[in-house]
């Protein structure tokens, strides 16, 4: 039997899990105007700070997950990978195929999510925290009973907080290690660049501002120019100049291999959690 279509103009969105990721997505969706906060809800069981965080931008907060599921047409599971099975199984009697289910839990496969829920109208999504400011990188994969319309709805939802790609689920561990964990790698890089500026005599506040804007500008050049990052690097590295001297130090320190190893290690951990 075909899944009941969900109206993009009136559907209600619920988050199971009220952590930072759920807050990031909810804030971005409200800020972008895709959904008003009155059509979004979550549940907070004990931590009053989480209730305050969601209520501060108008999202409804229930005292239990069952109330969230009952009120929602689209349910996003945004809980720790280690507990997602127990949470889905607990709510299984309420998870009819009329509801579109979404998981953002790292490392948890669609086949398991579908088995626990009792149906396959499920979409697995890997967002990242810059979704909170509308600059997220999100990848999604559709379950067996999820329709193309379901995919478009979720793509629009997460597209309101950044860019969205579709990929085969077999790539998701690597995606988790790259774009899911990647912002932390870049935060470290920005901090290190700023420290380098300070060591070279630049005032701390100015150094941090320059480092942040330099990373932002460089990333924008990659996405907007269509040039390979290697070509862009070559364009700024004059023979015998300052840039190639700095690049030489990065190469001696093994920067490329370190970043590659970080992605591979996070992907390995994602597989261990699945």
């Amino acid at each position: 039997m075909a899944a009941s279509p969900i109206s993009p103009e009136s559907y209600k969105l619920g988050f199971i899990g009220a952590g930072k990721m759920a807050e990031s997505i909810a804030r971005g969706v409200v800020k972008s105007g895709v959904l008003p906060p009155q059509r979004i809800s979550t549940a907070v069981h004990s931590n009053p700070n989480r209730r305050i965080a969601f209520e501060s931008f108008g999202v409804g907060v229930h005292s239990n997950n069952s109330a969230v599921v009952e009120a929602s047409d689209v349910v996003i599971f945004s809980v720790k990978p280690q507990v997602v099975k127990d949470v889905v199984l607990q709510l299984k009697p309420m998870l009819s195929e009329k509801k579109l289910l979404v998981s953002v839990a790292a490392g948890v496969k669609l086949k398991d999510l579908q088995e626990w829920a009792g149906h396959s109208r499920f979409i697995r999504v890997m967002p990242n925290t810059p979704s909170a400011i509308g600059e997220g990188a999100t990848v999604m994969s559709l379950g067996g009973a999820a329709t193309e319309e379901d995919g478009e709805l979720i793509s629009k939802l997460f597209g309101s907080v950044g860019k969205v790609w579709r990929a085969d689920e077999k790539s998701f561990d690597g995606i988790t290690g790259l774009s899911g964990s990647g912002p932390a790698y870049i935060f470290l890089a920005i901090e290190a660049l700023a420290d380098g500026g300070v060591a070279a005599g630049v005032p701390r506040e100015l150094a941090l501002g320059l480092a942040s804007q330099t990373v932002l500008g460089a990333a924008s050049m990659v996405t907007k120019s269509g040039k390979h990052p290697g070509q862009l690097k070559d364009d700024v590295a004059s023979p015998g100049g300052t840039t190639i001297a700095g690049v030489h130090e990065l190469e001696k320190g093994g920067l490329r291999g370190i970043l590659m190893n970080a992605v591979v290690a996070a992907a390995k951990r994602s597989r261990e959690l699945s």
Side-chain angles (χ1 to χ4, degrees):
M1 186 175 71
S4 303
I6 293 172
S7 170
E9 289 76 29
S10 61
Y11 77 91
K12 293 183 179 179
L13 174 66
F15 288 90
I16 304 299
K20 292 294 186 181
M21 178 58 75
E23 182 186 349
S24 294
I25 299 166
R27 281 188 183 277
V29 167
V30 170
K31 184 178 180 180
S32 69
V34 167
L35 283 181
Q38 296 80 8
R39 282 164 55 189
I40 306 174
S41 66
T42 189
V44 173
H45 307 286
S46 57
N47 188 340
N49 291 330
R50 302 314 302 151
R51 175 180 289 273
I52 292 168
F54 279 88
E55 289 181 341
S56 71
F57 59 103
V59 168
V61 180
H62 299 284
S63 59
N64 60 77
N65 290 333
S66 296
V68 176
V69 174
E70 186 175 2
S72 303
D73 304 294
V74 178
V75 178
I76 297 180
F77 289 91
S78 182
V79 296
K80 300 286 188 186
Q82 298 91 330
V83 302
V84 66
K85 178 180 180 179
D86 290 341
V87 173
V88 175
L89 287 174
Q90 183 181 39
L91 295 169
K92 183 176 180 178
M94 305 180 68
L95 301 177
S96 74
E97 206 164 337
K98 291 181 179 179
K99 298 182 186 293
L100 172 58
L101 309 180
V102 179
S103 170
V104 298
V108 183
K109 293 182 171 59
L110 274 169
K111 68 177 181 62
D112 294 322
L113 293 164
Q114 293 169 165
E115 179 182 340
W116 302 332
H119 68 79
S120 57
R121 194 180 189 184
F122 230 123
I123 295 179
R124 184 180 172 190
V125 177
M126 185 65 237
N128 62 5
T129 51
S131 299
I133 57 162
E135 295 292 345
T138 297
V139 184
M140 54 186 281
S141 183
L142 274 59
T147 65
E148 190 62 30
E149 289 74 21
D150 291 341
E152 290 173 2
L153 186 148
I154 297 304
S155 182
K156 183 177 181 181
L157 185 70
F158 284 89
S160 70
V161 293
K163 294 184 178 181
V164 181
W165 291 263
R166 288 200 196 184
D168 192 292
E169 192 187 25
K170 67 184 180 182
S171 301
F172 265 50
D173 291 318
I175 289 164
T176 298
L178 176 55
S179 57
S181 302
Y185 316 153
I186 303 305
F187 298 148
L188 281 174
I190 291 171
E191 184 182 30
L193 286 168
D195 284 347
V198 172
V202 181
R204 168 68 64 183
E205 186 176 354
L206 176 58
L208 183 57
L210 289 172
S212 302
Q213 184 61 33
T214 298
V215 171
L216 178 63
S220 295
M221 286 188 74
V222 173
T223 58
K224 294 177 181 179
S225 72
K227 291 184 177 181
H228 189 279
Q231 179 62 55
L232 292 169
K233 179 263 297 176
D234 289 349
D235 290 346
V236 75
S238 304
T242 59
T243 301
I244 196 64
V247 169
H248 189 196
E249 289 300 314
L250 294 174
E251 295 288 10
K252 285 195 291 184
L255 178 67
R256 294 171 189 257
I258 290 170
L259 288 173
M260 291 171 68
N261 288 343
V263 174
V264 171
K268 180 173 180 282
R269 181 58 178 152
S270 177
R271 281 191 293 275
E272 291 169 354
L273 290 172
S274 63

